[in-house]
Amino acid sequence: MEQKIRVLVAKPGLDGHDRGALVIAQGLRDEGMEVIYTGLRQTPEQIVAAAIQEDVSVIGLSSLSGAHLELFPEVVRLLKEQGIDDVLVIGGGVIPDEDIPLLKQAGIDEIFTPGTPIKKTADFIRSHLKKGAVS
Amino acid sequence: MSDFNEKLDAWQRKVEKAVAKFPERKRRFTTSSDLEVDRLYIPKENGEQQTYLEKLGFPGEYPFTRGIQPTMYRGRYWTMRQYAGFGSAEETNERFRYLLKQGQTGLSTAFDLPTQIGYDADHPMARGEVGKVGVSISSLVDMETLLKGIPLDKVSTSMTINAPASVLLAMYIAVGEKQGVSSDKLTGTIQNDILKEYVARGTYIYPPAPSMRLITNIFEYCADKVPNWNTISISGYHIREAGSTAVQEVAFTISNAIAYVQAAVDAGLPVDKFAPRLSFFFNAHNNFMEEIAKFRAARRIWAKIMRHRFKAEDPKSWQLRFHTQTGGSTLTAQQPDNNIVRVTIQALAAVLGGTQSLHTNSRDEALALPTEDSARIALRTQQIIAYESGVADTIDPLGGSYYIESLTDEIEKEVMRYIEKIDEMGGAVTAIEQGYMQREIQQASYRTQMAIESGEDVVVGMNKFTIENEPQPELLRVNPALGKIQAERLAKLRSERNNEEVQTKLQALKTAAEGQDNLMPYILDAVRVYATTGEICDVMRSVFGEYRPSLF
């Protein structure tokens, strides 16, 4: 039997608004994925450690406080530092359009801003997985 | 004379007295056709009059369904209080002065997340967050800069601060002392509502029990020393933003309020001593009639609870006074100018619902903090409602509408069902610890998302009436170097202040925290010698511990 896609939904920084993160977590579960939510106030180090421990294929980062330019790329950098290059990293939240190219250059695979249907995010995950869902 | 006529007469005498002291805005209110606008419209049929007295009453009278003042906006408009704060204390001070010059009538301060969670700007957890969603205040130096040139005896200031509310209030009192304004002359509000932080907003520090102690300490301290301060603003706003329904917003907010009142009563404070300084904070979303009914229902529910459950005798204890902010989560990043229209509808609902003060969101807030231009349009929206629409010329203009009264009754009924359920669980603190409110909100929020995705709920410009290749508006950018600048300022402060004195005051605070004393005087002492936000909160962390939520 095919194993489910494992996704870590994470809130980096101090931002406590997790309505979007919780909705995404629920939505991806309904799309048949296994979702682990880190809870609030995670450092990039904690997020990467959780991703390794949980052996996820996808990290979804959510930020609404404007700290994304500092915190999202740090997650990608730490993954690389650990020699991990097969985890899909996506982000969402209050992110101005002009920041999206900067985040992509820094190695974030895709940014989904408010208004994106959950199905679209799920389809993106399924078609861009870097490591097999079967471990 | 009938009961109705007697009460009407009594109200009219009260109005005459109030008007003699504070005249209404105009001698005569008229429509554009020069038709006279009465102060109040009431039922003329005998049969309706008894129900009227029970359910609505006269404005300024129990159960306050029609508003808490006898003349409402005929005397004075609501306070136009735009929430502002970003970057450094200097930048925010400049925005404050700009808004005051534009006709804003009260200040409202947004703090950045490190400040809200009791970290100094140079704490490792503050990385990327300094000055982002509000102003960075690490010490009294920052507070002095923030309030420079603002006369604290004339301007009232609202501060959106919760877990470290005691610290920021102490800083405000200390700045007052430096301006020669004694604390009994200070007016304003601290949000100071920790329960909704556990439910919805996430900026908690300590576990519930010590958090509740800090809050009752503030109630007690302010009743004596800062009597004109609103010591708490019990907030449904964030509950709603987290995805709740209108009914849940009122139900959970009032359940939290019951917990605060009970905690203070249990701590030995007489209810009428602190209850008149309680205030509320609600959201205004797009479903116009439901929002208006929500405010009216909330007022009536609170009046009954305070009078009958807590046996408050002072009518001021029965009054639900509230600030409203328009709904941030209803705004879209797509076609941001549409947000001006949404905000107008929401602000109008708040005014028709009888709000005491109002913040209107800016069109660009789904993207970033507001630019100066956007903030001005948002303020103008309120001014147009106040000065041009005429809705403030008569009290509770929709009172008596079949639909509004029926919705008000329905909301009250549904809210009471939740409150009774939470009572049965052992009260708000238990309900929150068990994740009950969080789960209810999350389910509502997911239902909303699904309704939007299926197109059942239309969001104009987002899932219907969309356009391709929208131009992006100019956004406000916070100086990314601010974290470093603030860290340097802190290092300078720590090298210049009397550190021995700081340690003595922090130690005294620690001892007090371990015991039973009211902590406010100790916090104030520490603030006066320039102990920082982080240092003071760390002392309390060391005694109280930190809250760790369980995940759902």
Side-chain angles (χ1 to χ4, degrees):
Chain A
M1 204 184 95
E2 200 184 3
Q3 207 174 322
K4 285 181 172 179
I5 298 170
R6 286 169 71 81
V7 184
L8 185 76
V9 171
K11 286 287 297 175
L14 299 177
D15 162 36
H17 294 86
D18 60 354
R19 174 183 184 167
L22 291 168
V23 163
I24 283 283
Q26 177 72 47
L28 294 180
R29 276 179 199 137
D30 287 355
E31 287 282 332
M33 302 182 192
E34 228 173 284
V35 184
I36 300 128
Y37 174 48
T38 60
L40 304 178
R41 296 191 209 168
Q42 300 293 303
T43 62
E45 289 79 4
Q46 288 169 320
I47 291 167
V48 169
I52 293 170
Q53 198 194 334
E54 300 285 351
D55 190 28
V56 297
S57 321
V58 186
I59 300 177
L61 300 167
S62 157
S63 171
L64 283 81
S65 68
H68 51 272
L69 283 179
E70 290 202 44
L71 298 174
F72 288 8
E74 183 63 5
V75 171
V76 175
R77 194 188 68 75
L78 289 166
L79 282 171
K80 279 197 190 127
E81 200 177 274
Q82 300 274 335
I84 297 166
D85 57 5
D86 60 353
V87 170
L88 187 68
V89 181
I90 58 177
V94 176
I95 294 172
D97 275 358
E98 62 194 67
D99 290 355
I100 294 175
L102 300 171
L103 292 169
K104 286 193 171 174
Q105 271 163 34
I108 315 294
D109 293 291
E110 192 54 272
I111 296 292
F112 295 101
T113 48
T116 311
I118 290 168
K119 178 123 196 352
K120 193 174 161 193
T121 309
D123 288 343
F124 178 87
I125 291 173
R126 281 190 280 258
S127 58
H128 289 76
L129 274 187
K130 296 177 182 176
K131 76 173 171 188
V134 183
S135 52
Chain B
M1 199 153 82
S2 75
D3 196 21
F4 182 86
N5 286 335
E6 264 177 45
K7 293 233 160 86
L8 177 60
D9 265 5
W11 173 73
Q12 267 159 350
R13 280 196 301 274
K14 195 192 275 183
V15 168
E16 275 160 31
K17 244 172 83 184
V19 171
K21 216 161 140 202
F22 304 102
E24 292 183 326
R25 286 183 283 110
K26 294 180 184 173
R27 205 176 46 78
R28 184 167 171 263
F29 290 86
T30 56
T31 68
S32 60
S33 311
D34 203 36
L35 303 174
E36 179 98 21
V37 177
D38 290 349
R39 190 175 283 130
L40 187 71
Y41 291 84
I42 47 177
K44 295 195 167 63
E45 307 287 327
N46 275 334
E48 288 173 43
Q49 290 175 345
Q50 193 54 38
T51 323
Y52 178 88
L53 288 182
E54 280 161 23
K55 288 192 163 179
L56 276 67
F58 292 101
E61 287 176 13
Y62 185 87
F64 302 101
T65 311
R66 307 201 72 180
I68 62 159
Q69 287 122 6
T71 63
M72 287 303 288
Y73 308 133
R74 300 257 295 197
R76 195 172 71 86
Y77 291 124
W78 59 94
T79 303
M80 299 180 193
R81 195 190 288 280
Q82 295 295 97
Y83 188 42
F86 60 95
S88 65
E90 287 89 349
E91 288 168 282
T92 301
N93 177 265
E94 210 173 294
R95 177 67 68 89
F96 278 175
R97 289 164 181 249
Y98 174 81
L99 287 168
L100 289 172
K101 217 171 93 191
Q102 294 300 315
Q104 174 167 307
T105 48
L107 295 176
S108 177
T109 317
F111 297 97
D112 70 0
L113 288 164
T115 308
Q116 291 185 47
I117 302 173
Y119 294 126
D120 289 336
D122 57 356
H123 190 283
M125 284 301 291
R127 179 177 174 185
E129 307 275 19
V130 176
K132 286 282 164 65
V133 302
V135 59
S136 167
I137 302 288
S138 294
S139 79
L140 183 57
V141 179
D142 293 329
M143 193 64 117
E144 287 165 7
T145 310
L146 179 73
L147 300 169
K148 199 168 170 197
I150 293 166
L152 300 194
D153 54 344
K154 293 195 179 68
V155 170
S156 88
T157 305
S158 163
M159 298 197 281
T160 302
I161 195 76
N162 294 282
S166 53
V167 181
L168 276 294
L169 174 61
M171 286 180 184
Y172 196 86
I173 294 171
V175 173
E177 286 168 358
K178 284 174 191 263
Q179 281 192 5
V181 179
S182 58
S183 64
D184 61 325
K185 302 277 186 321
L186 298 175
T187 55
T189 307
I190 38 173
Q191 199 164 78
N192 198 26
D193 171 9
I194 202 67
L195 292 176
K196 67 94 180 34
E197 295 296 336
Y198 305 123
V199 180
R201 191 162 168 270
T203 58
Y204 39 72
I205 305 177
Y206 318 111
S211 293
M212 296 298 275
R213 169 184 171 187
L214 277 168
I215 288 167
T216 46
N217 282 176
I218 291 170
F219 288 178
E220 186 184 36
Y221 181 85
C222 289
D224 285 338
K225 308 274 194 208
V226 205
N228 296 313
W229 198 269
N230 297 316
T231 48
I232 194 166
S233 166
I234 306 153
S235 305
Y237 186 83
H238 314 91
I239 289 171
R240 191 71 183 279
E241 288 300 286
S244 83
T245 64
V247 163
Q248 289 169 345
E249 176 190 353
V250 175
F252 297 162
T253 306
I254 290 187
S255 290
N256 289 347
I258 290 170
Y260 294 125
V261 173
Q262 192 63 55
V265 168
D266 291 346
L269 300 180
V271 65
D272 284 318
K273 175 120 175 151
F274 66 88
R277 300 312 313 176
L278 304 177
S279 64
F280 287 79
F281 175 22
F282 289 117
N283 208 317
H285 276 207
N286 288 332
N287 197 308
F288 186 66
M289 301 301 265
E290 182 180 50
E291 293 302 304
I292 299 165
K294 175 185 87 178
F295 299 121
R296 301 172 84 249
R299 247 190 323 264
R300 187 158 76 199
I301 295 166
W302 186 243
K304 290 182 183 170
I305 288 173
M306 291 309 285
R307 186 171 188 174
H308 301 300
R309 178 170 178 157
F310 289 107
K311 313 276 180 243
E313 284 168 12
D314 183 349
K316 283 198 162 58
S317 300
W318 306 336
Q319 293 179 349
L320 183 149
R321 298 172 299 131
F322 68 102
H323 170 71
T324 308
Q325 181 173 340
T326 57
S329 65
T330 67
L331 305 187
T332 59
Q334 297 81 2
Q335 305 178 31
D337 284 352
N338 293 350
N339 294 328
I340 299 174
V341 184
R342 293 191 178 99
V343 166
T344 307
I345 293 171
Q346 296 165 3
L348 191 55
V351 169
L352 294 173
T355 195
Q356 275 59 66
S357 77
L358 179 60
H359 164 107
T360 31
N361 286 335
S362 299
R363 59 180 165 173
D364 45 4
E365 284 186 54
L367 296 156
L369 290 185
T371 60
E372 198 168 273
D373 279 352
S374 300
R376 192 190 58 247
I377 295 170
L379 176 60
R380 293 288 181 259
T381 305
Q382 294 199 39
Q383 291 163 336
I384 289 167
I385 292 173
Y387 293 90
E388 298 184 13
S389 77
V391 296
D393 291 352
T394 184
I395 301 165
D396 186 33
L398 292 181
S401 141
Y402 298 123
Y403 184 34
I404 275 291
E405 295 305 346
S406 167
L407 266 178
T408 305
D409 290 351
E410 284 293 303
I411 290 173
E412 178 177 15
K413 202 173 83 198
E414 292 300 313
V415 165
M416 287 314 297
R417 270 177 31 170
Y418 264 121
I419 290 176
E420 281 155 21
K421 173 143 196 190
I422 290 167
D423 277 343
E424 279 166 27
M425 295 176 79
V429 176
T430 314
I432 292 165
E433 283 172 342
Q434 293 178 3
Y436 171 72
M437 292 190 199
Q438 296 91 315
R439 274 194 304 273
E440 289 289 305
I441 295 168
Q442 204 182 319
Q443 280 163 13
S445 134
Y446 196 61
R447 277 197 302 273
T448 305
Q449 176 71 19
M450 292 300 109
I452 292 171
E453 293 199 2
S454 71
E456 187 190 333
D457 284 5
V458 171
V459 183
V460 172
M462 193 177 88
N463 67 359
K464 203 166 182 158
F465 315 113
T466 55
I467 47 176
E468 297 291 322
N469 303 319
E470 280 182 47
Q472 284 296 302
E474 193 80 17
L475 299 180
L476 180 97
R477 287 280 172 183
V478 173
N479 178 5
L482 185 66
K484 204 163 148 261
I485 296 168
Q486 283 292 84
E488 283 162 10
R489 283 186 185 163
L490 269 168
K492 184 163 173 277
L493 170 71
R494 291 199 178 99
S495 71
E496 286 174 359
R497 66 185 184 182
N498 183 337
N499 280 302
E500 206 174 311
E501 212 174 21
V502 170
Q503 287 315 316
T504 310
K505 302 297 184 196
L506 289 177
Q507 185 53 48
L509 172 62
K510 185 161 192 278
T511 310
E514 285 160 350
Q516 304 294 321
D517 280 8
N518 189 318
L519 298 181
M520 272 308 289
Y522 297 93
I523 293 168
L524 189 54
D525 280 350
V527 159
R528 284 191 186 112
V529 299
Y530 295 92
T532 65
T533 309
E535 289 163 343
I536 294 171
C537 290
D538 277 348
V539 163
M540 292 194 276
R541 273 189 186 94
S542 74
V543 178
F544 299 149
E546 286 190 77
Y547 178 71
R548 296 258 176 268
S550 49
L551 291 177
F552 305 104

